[in-house]
Amino acid sequence: MLQGKRTWLFENKPAIISTGTTGGPFEAKGNIPDDFDILYDDMWIGEDSYEKAERVMFEDACSTAIEKAGLTKEDIQFMFAGDLVNQLTPTSFAARTLAAPYFGLFGACSTSMEGLALGAYIVNSGGSKYILTGASSHNSATEKQFRYPTEYGAQKPPTAQWTATASGAAVVSDQGMGPKVTSATIGKVIDMGLSDPYNMGGAMAPAAVDTIEAHFKERNIDPSYYDLIITGDLGKIGQHVAYDLLQDHGLHITKEQFVDCGLQIYKSDQPVQAGASGAGCSAAVAYGHFINKMKQGDFSKMLVVATGALLSPLSYQQKESIPCIAHAVSIEM
Amino acid sequence: MLQGKRTWLFENKPAIISTGTTGGPFEAKGNIPDDFDILYDDMWIGEDSYEKAERVMFEDACSTAIEKAGLTKEDIQFMFAGDLVNQLTPTSFAARTLAAPYFGLFGACSTSMEGLALGAYIVNSGGSKYILTGASSHNSATEKQFRYPTEYGAQKPPTAQWTATASGAAVVSDQGMGPKVTSATIGKVIDMGLSDPYNMGGAMAPAAVDTIEAHFKERNIDPSYYDLIITGDLGKIGQHVAYDLLQDHGLHITKEQFVDCGLQIYKSDQPVQAGASGAGCSAAVAYGHFINKMKQGDFSKMLVVATGALLSPLSYQQKESIPCIAHAVSIEM
C-alpha cells in the first residue's frame, strides 16, 4: 500500500464509476460547456445567498453522480468533501441533505484530490463499497470572503486568477466500470515566502513541483508513463513557473503533456487574468472534461495534481506568506 | 474492516504511542492542570496575534507528542488535523513547520476524532507507520471570529459554552506501546432545527446520540462494554439531553459511565456557563486526562464521541439551523 514515504498504491484499483459536474453562467460561456452535467442561468440558482447557491450546485453535482452510478443516496457510505467558504458551509449543509457519514476536508483548491486520495484509499482497503467525494467553489461567495464583494467592481492585476463557479463529484467503488484510481502522493506544506494573494499560481507552483517529483521518485516511474500531468489550478503564471522548475530538476515533462485545469475551463477571450482557480475548478475539470476524454479513448493515463493556497484573509492581513500544498492522484483506464 | 454501514474495526490495533497537550492560563487554573504537558502564562504565547498564539500552542502539542514517542518530525508520515479558525490558519501554518504530508480537516469540535478515526484507519491498513493527529482551539481567536472580540465583554446566556484554549495531539503507530484504537463510527450530519448558537450542546446532543446508537448496533455490543463513554463537548445542557435521549432509545448507559470533556476541564466555580467547548477541548482532555487515567490503570475501555456544530457566523446570519455531527472512536488498553 505505502510506497516510499508518502505515496499509496491502490492495488485493488478502486474505480470512479460515475461523476457529476455543475457550473455557473460564466462557465457555460467557457471552453468546455459540454463537459458539465448541469449549467445554471444565474449565480443565485434560485437561492437568496451565494453560499446557499453553492450548496445547491454541489448537491446537484453529488446527486447527478449518484444517479449516474445507478445508486441512491442511501448507498453512499462515506462522503469526503469541502469547499472554500468559512467552516465549509455549503458542503456541511449539502452533507445534511445527503445524510451520508461525512468527513469535512479543507485543502483550499487541493481539496478535490485530498478527497479522492482518502476516498480511494478507504475503498481500496475494504473500508467502504461506495464513497462520494467532491469539491465546489462559487465566484461571488469566494470573492466576497477572500477579497471584495463582486458588486464593488474591484480591479485585479494580470497575475490574479478567477474563482470558478463549479462543482465536481465522483462516486468511487471497488466494483463497477470506470477509470481506476491507481495511486496517490500526499502533499507537504511548501512556502517559499511569497505573500501576494493576487499571484497564487506563482506561490503554489513549488508545492506542485515538490509533489510531482515525490510521485515519480516514489513510484519509480518517469513522466512518460502518463499521457497527461494535470495541475489544478496554477494558471498561466504558476504553470509556467512549475514547468521551468520541473525541467531544472531534471523531470522531462513535455509541454503537450503538462496541462492545467485553470487554463482549460474558460475561453482565451474571457477576462480571467491568469486563468481560473477555486476548489470546484479542478473537481469539475478533472471529473468532467478529462474523465470524459478518457472514456472516449483520447488517452489512458493521467496524474491530477490539485494545488491549494492555504492562506486566509487574516493570515494575509497579519503579513504572513502563503503556505501551499498539492496532492497528486493517478487515474488510469 | 467495515462492520455495519459506518463502523470500522481496527483488527491490527494501532496504538496511541504518545500524546502532547497544551493549554492556556484559564485552563491552568482549571480542574485538570496536571494533565497538560505545557501550560502558558498568557493568551499571546509570545506572538502578536491570537491565531499565531494558537499555532504555537498546537505546534508545541505536536512536538511534545513526537518527542515523547522518541521520534523526530521526519518520522511522521501523515498529519490529520484541524481547528476552528477560518481556513484552518493555525493548523496549516503548524503543518508548514512540521513539514509532514498533511490532510486538513474541518469538523468543528468533532475534528479530534475525525482525525483519529482516519489516522488509525490508515495505520491499521498499512498506509503509514506513524501518523500525527490533533486539534486545537483558542478562546480569543474563536470568540472574535464566531461571536465578539473578548475585549468587548459581551454577556452570554447560561446555555453558552466556553471555548477552551487548548491543543491535543497524538502519535498513532502499528508498533509501540500504548492504548489501542480498536474501532470508529463515523457521524452523519444531524440537524433537528435548533438555531441558537448559544446552545450548541443542545443542538449537538442528537448527533451524539445518533452516532452512539449506531456504534453499539454495528459493533453488536452493549454500553456495559465500555468503562466510560465520553462526549466532547456537550456541556451541562447537551449532556443532559443526550443522556435522556439515550435512555428513551433503550440504551442503558449509567450516569457514572457517561462523562463529557466540556465538564472535565474546568472547576465548577469557573465562569464557563454550561461548560467548555472548542476543537482543542476534546483533543486535550481525551489525549491528556483520559489517556493518562487509562495508563494509570483507572479504567481500560473508553468510547470518545467528539461532537461538532458545523455552523458558521454566515449560516447563522442567514437564519439557517445548526447542522451537527459526532464521530466515535474506541480506545482500549
Side-chain angles (χ1 to χ4, degrees):
Chain A
M1 178 72 89
L2 182 71
Q3 181 159 325
K5 287 189 169 180
R6 49 176 165 142
T7 297
W8 291 322
L9 296 186
F10 303 133
E11 296 88 352
N12 303 323
K13 299 195 173 31
I16 296 176
I17 61 167
S18 69
T19 62
T21 52
T22 52
F26 190 64
E27 290 66 31
K29 291 181 200 149
N31 190 39
I32 52 167
D34 297 343
D35 289 315
F36 286 94
D37 293 299
I38 299 172
L39 287 162
Y40 308 99
D41 291 338
D42 75 85
M43 295 293 277
W44 297 94
I45 316 182
E47 298 293 320
D48 60 6
S49 80
Y50 293 134
E51 295 78 14
K52 292 180 189 175
E54 183 174 345
R55 186 205 74 220
V56 172
M57 182 176 67
F58 186 56
E59 285 173 357
D60 285 349
C62 292
S63 54
T64 301
I66 292 169
E67 211 169 285
K68 281 160 76 178
L71 302 173
T72 64
K73 65 178 190 170
E74 289 71 27
D75 297 314
I76 300 301
Q77 286 171 300
F78 301 100
M79 175 177 170
F80 297 83
D83 63 77
L84 299 176
V85 175
N86 296 341
Q87 288 79 51
L88 313 184
T89 304
T91 307
S92 295
F93 280 82
R96 180 178 73 179
T97 307
L98 287 160
Y102 162 55
F103 293 98
L105 306 179
F106 181 75
C109 307
S110 73
T111 303
S112 61
M113 292 303 117
E114 181 181 356
L116 184 60
L118 282 173
Y121 186 105
I122 301 292
V123 168
N124 184 65
S125 52
S128 180
K129 196 161 163 182
Y130 297 111
I131 67 99
L132 179 73
T133 184
S136 70
S137 53
H138 186 293
N139 182 275
S140 304
T142 308
E143 290 298 320
K144 172 177 113 179
Q145 178 183 284
F146 283 96
R147 287 166 283 259
Y148 299 100
T150 46
E151 293 84 349
Y152 288 9
Q155 289 192 315
K156 286 185 173 185
T159 52
Q161 289 170 253
W162 179 277
T163 306
T165 301
S167 293
V171 176
V172 179
S173 176
D174 59 356
Q175 42 196 250
M177 299 290 286
K180 306 286 186 284
V181 186
T182 51
S183 72
T185 300
I186 306 306
K188 295 180 187 184
V189 174
I190 304 285
D191 184 339
M192 302 302 281
L194 277 78
S195 60
D196 178 4
Y198 290 110
N199 183 7
M200 295 205 293
M204 293 189 290
V209 169
D210 180 74
T211 298
I212 292 170
E213 280 196 281
H215 181 79
F216 287 113
K217 191 178 160 200
E218 299 193 346
R219 282 204 65 180
N220 196 23
I221 53 178
D222 71 63
S224 65
Y225 182 82
Y226 294 109
D227 300 302
L228 291 178
I229 296 161
I230 301 164
T231 52
D233 311 289
L234 295 177
K236 277 181 213 166
I237 313 286
Q239 212 227 7
H240 196 83
V241 173
Y243 182 80
D244 286 352
L245 281 172
L246 287 166
Q247 302 300 321
D248 285 353
H249 294 196
L251 263 182
H252 300 299
I253 294 173
T254 66
K255 286 207 168 164
E256 293 65 38
Q257 235 183 330
F258 197 50
V259 298
D260 185 67
C261 294
L263 297 174
Q264 295 290 320
I265 190 167
Y266 299 120
K267 287 191 173 136
S268 59
D269 61 352
Q270 284 180 297
V272 296
Q273 289 91 11
S277 69
C281 180
S282 60
V285 176
Y287 294 146
H289 183 63
F290 287 113
I291 291 276
N292 289 349
K293 280 193 163 294
M294 273 188 130
K295 287 185 173 173
Q296 288 157 14
D298 286 8
F299 63 93
S300 65
K301 290 189 180 96
M302 65 178 174
L303 181 69
V304 183
V305 188
T307 58
L310 305 172
L311 85 168
S312 71
L314 186 143
S315 68
Y316 168 71
Q317 287 155 3
Q318 293 182 2
K319 318 275 184 215
E320 297 270 19
S321 53
I322 305 176
C324 297
I325 197 162
H327 303 300
V329 178
S330 61
I331 302 172
E332 307 180 33
M333 280 305 278
Chain B
M1 178 72 89
L2 182 71
Q3 181 160 324
K5 285 190 170 179
R6 48 175 165 143
T7 296
W8 291 322
L9 295 186
F10 303 132
E11 296 89 350
N12 303 323
K13 299 196 174 32
I16 296 175
I17 61 168
S18 70
T19 62
T21 53
T22 52
F26 192 64
E27 291 64 31
K29 293 181 198 151
N31 190 39
I32 52 167
D34 296 343
D35 289 315
F36 286 94
D37 294 299
I38 299 172
L39 288 162
Y40 308 98
D41 291 339
D42 76 85
M43 296 292 277
W44 298 94
I45 315 180
E47 299 292 322
D48 60 5
S49 81
Y50 293 134
E51 295 78 14
K52 292 180 188 175
E54 184 173 344
R55 185 204 73 220
V56 171
M57 182 175 68
F58 186 56
E59 284 172 357
D60 285 350
C62 293
S63 54
T64 301
I66 292 168
E67 210 169 286
K68 281 160 75 177
L71 302 173
T72 63
K73 66 179 190 170
E74 289 72 27
D75 297 315
I76 300 301
Q77 285 170 301
F78 301 101
M79 174 178 170
F80 296 83
D83 63 78
L84 299 175
V85 175
N86 295 342
Q87 288 79 51
L88 313 184
T89 303
T91 307
S92 295
F93 280 82
R96 180 180 71 179
T97 308
L98 287 159
Y102 163 55
F103 293 98
L105 306 178
F106 180 76
C109 307
S110 73
T111 303
S112 61
M113 292 303 118
E114 180 181 356
L116 184 59
L118 281 173
Y121 186 104
I122 301 293
V123 168
N124 184 66
S125 51
S128 180
K129 196 162 164 183
Y130 298 111
I131 68 97
L132 179 73
T133 183
S136 71
S137 54
H138 187 292
N139 183 276
S140 305
T142 308
E143 290 299 319
K144 172 177 113 178
Q145 178 183 284
F146 284 97
R147 288 167 282 260
Y148 300 99
T150 47
E151 292 85 349
Y152 288 10
Q155 289 193 315
K156 286 185 172 187
T159 52
Q161 288 171 252
W162 180 275
T163 306
T165 302
S167 293
V171 176
V172 179
S173 176
D174 59 356
Q175 42 197 249
M177 300 289 287
K180 306 286 186 284
V181 186
T182 52
S183 73
T185 300
I186 305 308
K188 294 179 187 183
V189 174
I190 303 284
D191 183 340
M192 302 301 281
L194 277 78
S195 59
D196 179 2
Y198 289 110
N199 183 7
M200 294 204 293
M204 292 189 291
V209 169
D210 180 74
T211 298
I212 292 169
E213 280 195 280
H215 181 80
F216 286 114
K217 191 178 160 200
E218 299 193 346
R219 282 204 65 180
N220 196 23
I221 53 179
D222 71 62
S224 65
Y225 181 83
Y226 293 109
D227 301 302
L228 291 178
I229 295 161
I230 301 164
T231 52
D233 311 289
L234 295 176
K236 277 181 211 166
I237 313 286
Q239 212 226 8
H240 196 82
V241 173
Y243 183 81
D244 286 352
L245 282 172
L246 287 166
Q247 302 299 321
D248 286 354
H249 294 195
L251 263 184
H252 299 300
I253 294 172
T254 67
K255 287 207 169 165
E256 292 66 38
Q257 235 183 331
F258 197 50
V259 298
D260 185 67
C261 294
L263 297 173
Q264 295 290 319
I265 191 167
Y266 299 119
K267 286 191 174 136
S268 59
D269 62 352
Q270 283 179 297
V272 296
Q273 291 91 10
S277 70
C281 179
S282 60
V285 177
Y287 294 145
H289 183 63
F290 288 114
I291 292 275
N292 289 349
K293 279 194 164 294
M294 272 188 131
K295 287 184 173 174
Q296 288 157 15
D298 287 8
F299 63 92
S300 64
K301 290 189 179 94
M302 66 177 174
L303 181 69
V304 183
V305 188
T307 58
L310 305 172
L311 84 170
S312 71
L314 186 143
S315 68
Y316 169 71
Q317 288 154 2
Q318 294 182 1
K319 316 277 185 214
E320 297 269 20
S321 54
I322 305 177
C324 296
I325 197 162
H327 303 299
V329 178
S330 62
I331 303 172
E332 307 180 32
M333 280 306 275

